[in-house]
Amino acid sequence: MTEAQFRVTVASDLEAPRVVAAGDIDLANVTEFQDVMAKAAAGSATLTVDLSEVTYCDSAAVRALFAVAAASELTMIVAPEGPIRTLLGISGLDRVATVVTKE
């Protein structure tokens, strides 16, 4: 299992704050993921979460993303193919947030 790493890019005049995640997001580190997203979204109506380097998400991560989507305009960046893109479709996250494919 790969440990997830999270980093935040501060918002600019042209872009929303961005959280970049890598590795696995699961029960072991979802609290850190939630905290990073909450800090990034503070004071902003929009948030971008780059999941293109995430290899695995469990239901705790999906719940965290749903919570963000309920409170702000969420955009998620995903790899063109793979389990995360499939998970977003199965969970319905792609219907409450914007999903963009990383080129």
Side-chain angles (χ1 to χ4, degrees):
M1 176 165 70
T2 305
E3 188 172 319
Q5 296 182 2
F6 312 108
R7 70 178 193 275
V8 175
T9 302
V10 179
S12 69
D13 289 341
L14 302 175
E15 292 186 0
R18 179 182 301 234
V19 172
V20 179
D24 295 350
I25 307 172
D26 56 24
L27 194 56
N29 59 16
V30 74
T31 301
E32 179 186 358
F33 184 52
Q34 289 170 311
D35 291 347
V36 168
M37 288 191 298
K39 287 177 186 173
S44 178
T46 62
L47 178 65
T48 299
V49 178
D50 186 339
L51 300 170
S52 62
E53 298 297 322
V54 172
T55 52
Y56 172 80
C57 283
D58 71 2
S59 60
V62 171
R63 280 193 306 276
L65 289 164
F66 266 114
V68 170
S72 64
E73 185 180 323
L74 175 62
T75 299
M76 295 173 288
I77 302 170
V78 297
E81 297 178 6
I84 304 307
R85 187 171 210 31
T86 302
L87 176 67
L88 297 180
I90 291 170
S91 68
L93 263 167
D94 62 348
R95 292 188 293 275
V96 297
T98 302
V99 177
V100 177
T101 302
K102 186 169 189 170
E103 296 180 17

